Amino acid sequence: MYNYRKVTDDLYWVGANEHRLALFENIHPLYHGVSYNAYVLLDEKTVLVDTADWAVGRQFIENVTAVLDGRPLDYLLINHVEPDHAASIQEVLLRWPDVKIITSPKAVILLHQFGFQIDAGQIEEVREGDTKCFGKHTVAFVSAPMVHWPEAMVTFDTTNGVLFSADAFGSFRALDGKLFADEFNFDQEWIDDARRYYTNIVGKYGPQVVALLNKAAKAVGLDNIKMLCPLHGPVWRKDLGYIIDKYTHWATYEPEEKGVMIVYASMYGNTEAAAEVLAAKLAERGVLNTRLYDVSSTHVSYLISDLFKYSHLVLASVTYNLGIFPPMHNFLADMKALNLQNRTCAIVENGSWAIRSGSLMRECLECLKHMTILDDGVTIASSLQSQNLPEMDALADALANSIKG
């Protein structure tokens, strides 16, 4: 049974929701599902904007068929060729064999690499600055390289102000009947999933996102964008400044909030106890915006997400085989891989002999850009003792002064 929604005038959402997928890209946990968005424009010509993952292919095809209501499909506009959006292309070609494909030259290369059988005469390549008229609606194409694949582009409908933004402004979480961001309490229900999606999927490419935002502002004018239609998550028709501001913070690696994220690696609970003591001392100093995470039991995608949110980071790790505890070392590697920068950090190290985790974590942090490392670290021998408390107080003071300064 079809299940589509009207977006505006003659534009329809024909995507579908997925609840059975446990890991997005086989990496990131999905506890609330994910949506795969596609859109149909009914003009003098009919246009399908992107497709969907094959896991929801049946629902997607039923939705497209229902919206077309017997009309032929004239164009398939492909903004992004990643399989979660392109897997149903072959099915579209089988059902509407006369459809013309509009996409970027680099996308054509990837389509062939993925094995799609498409005649060259069926493809219309477009480049940045090109436009296409479908009747009442004229769209303009803006390239978006490395947001987050090299072939990606976004498409702006100059008639109604809709920006088909590909993976930009996307989010984890299924829509489940709703469609628009204003149909949710976004700041309570969605922002964490939106941040986790951006930081882990697109986070490495902050400069490219900034370039796209600047390019879009110049090419179409941000005030002319009336609606954001991403490939995952809700459609934005109100308060666009809210999500654009979030993206600006994330893309420039500027924290959203002043707060302290304490990530600890503990084998037998002693380093964990030290992290708890530090959190209590921060609270006594009026620093209440804190989060504690056990690096061993928290998926790294959540750690990365909150690290983009908070201004300060404390790494507390036991020494393991004369190195950093492996899950903590993996977290540091992900921070580097995702280009994390512009944070103030502090270090708590522990070990029973040859305590080296602190110096090694410092080396990792020094490899990142624009990171401030506080000199007030703490070294613990096996477990926190009374003689360590002045060091803990000094660290709490340094963090509190940095937060309030």
Side-chain angles (χ1 to χ4, degrees), residues 145-180:
M146 300 318 300
V147 186
H148 57 121
W149 276 32
E151 93 302 351
M153 68 179 186
V154 300
T155 301
F156 180 66
D157 189 329
T158 62
T159 305
N160 58 14
V162 170
L163 180 68
F164 298 101
S165 59
D167 269 345
F169 304 107
S171 177
F172 293 137
R173 202 178 187 100
L175 294 166
D176 294 341
K178 300 174 185 176
L179 176 61
F180 300 102

Side-chain angles (χ1 to χ4, degrees), residues 180-218:
F180 300 102
D182 55 273
E183 293 179 327
F184 304 91
N185 186 331
F186 193 89
D187 211 42
Q188 288 186 10
E189 298 177 58
W190 275 82
I191 187 60
D192 290 339
D193 283 304
R195 184 189 303 106
R196 189 164 68 94
Y197 175 85
Y198 172 87
T199 56
N200 288 277
I201 306 301
V202 190
K204 178 179 180 178
Y205 303 107
Q208 288 84 354
V209 174
V210 171
L212 174 61
L213 292 173
N214 292 336
K215 192 188 299 183
K218 184 177 179 180

Side-chain angles (χ1 to χ4, degrees), residues 44-276:
E44 292 176 19
K45 299 293 185 180
T46 59
V47 187
L48 172 60
V49 183
D50 292 295
T51 70
D53 191 274
W54 187 242
V56 296
R58 178 179 177 180
Q59 182 69 70
F60 161 72
I61 291 295
E62 288 181 354
N63 291 345
V64 174
T65 303
V67 169
L68 289 175
D69 193 24
R71 291 185 63 180
L73 180 62
D74 297 306
Y75 290 99
L76 168 58
L77 197 165
I78 302 173
N79 287 301
H80 185 28
V81 185
E82 196 168 4
D84 59 332
H85 306 297
S88 298
I89 288 174
Q90 202 68 53
E91 186 69 19
V92 170
L93 295 175
L94 289 171
R95 291 172 181 264
W96 295 281
D98 296 326
V99 69
K100 189 89 169 182
I101 292 176
I102 302 172
T103 196
S104 67
K106 288 185 178 178
V108 174
I109 296 172
L110 289 177
L111 286 169
H112 289 307
Q113 287 180 190
F114 279 114
F116 290 113
Q117 305 300 314
I118 306 172
D119 293 333
Q122 200 169 5
I123 297 174
E124 181 177 334
E125 295 185 5
V126 293
R127 292 168 173 79
E128 182 164 328
D130 288 348
T131 60
K132 181 73 176 180
C133 181
F134 301 114
K136 293 185 300 181
H137 294 261
T138 298
V139 301
F141 305 101
V142 179
S143 64
M146 300 318 300
V147 186
H148 57 121
W149 276 32
E151 93 302 351
M153 68 179 186
V154 300
T155 301
F156 180 66
D157 189 329
T158 62
T159 305
N160 58 14
V162 170
L163 180 68
F164 298 101
S165 59
D167 269 345
F169 304 107
S171 177
F172 293 137
R173 202 178 187 100
L175 294 166
D176 294 341
K178 300 174 185 176
L179 176 61
F180 300 102
D182 55 273
E183 293 179 327
F184 304 91
N185 186 331
F186 193 89
D187 211 42
Q188 288 186 10
E189 298 177 58
W190 275 82
I191 187 60
D192 290 339
D193 283 304
R195 184 189 303 106
R196 189 164 68 94
Y197 175 85
Y198 172 87
T199 56
N200 288 277
I201 306 301
V202 190
K204 178 179 180 178
Y205 303 107
Q208 288 84 354
V209 174
V210 171
L212 174 61
L213 292 173
N214 292 336
K215 192 188 299 183
K218 184 177 179 180
V220 304
L222 290 181
D223 290 341
N224 293 324
I225 300 174
K226 306 302 181 185
M227 194 171 294
L228 297 171
C229 289
L231 290 176
H232 298 288
V235 169
W236 288 83
R237 63 181 177 182
K238 298 179 181 179
D239 300 323
L240 271 61
Y242 168 91
I243 193 63
I244 291 173
D245 177 71
K246 293 294 185 184
Y247 256 67
T248 301
H249 276 84
W250 300 336
T252 57
Y253 305 99
E254 291 298 328
E256 294 173 59
E257 301 176 5
K258 287 189 173 183
V260 182
M261 179 178 171
I262 303 173
V263 181
Y264 63 85
S266 188
M267 293 175 64
Y268 300 109
N270 294 301
T271 308
E272 178 183 4
E276 292 278 2

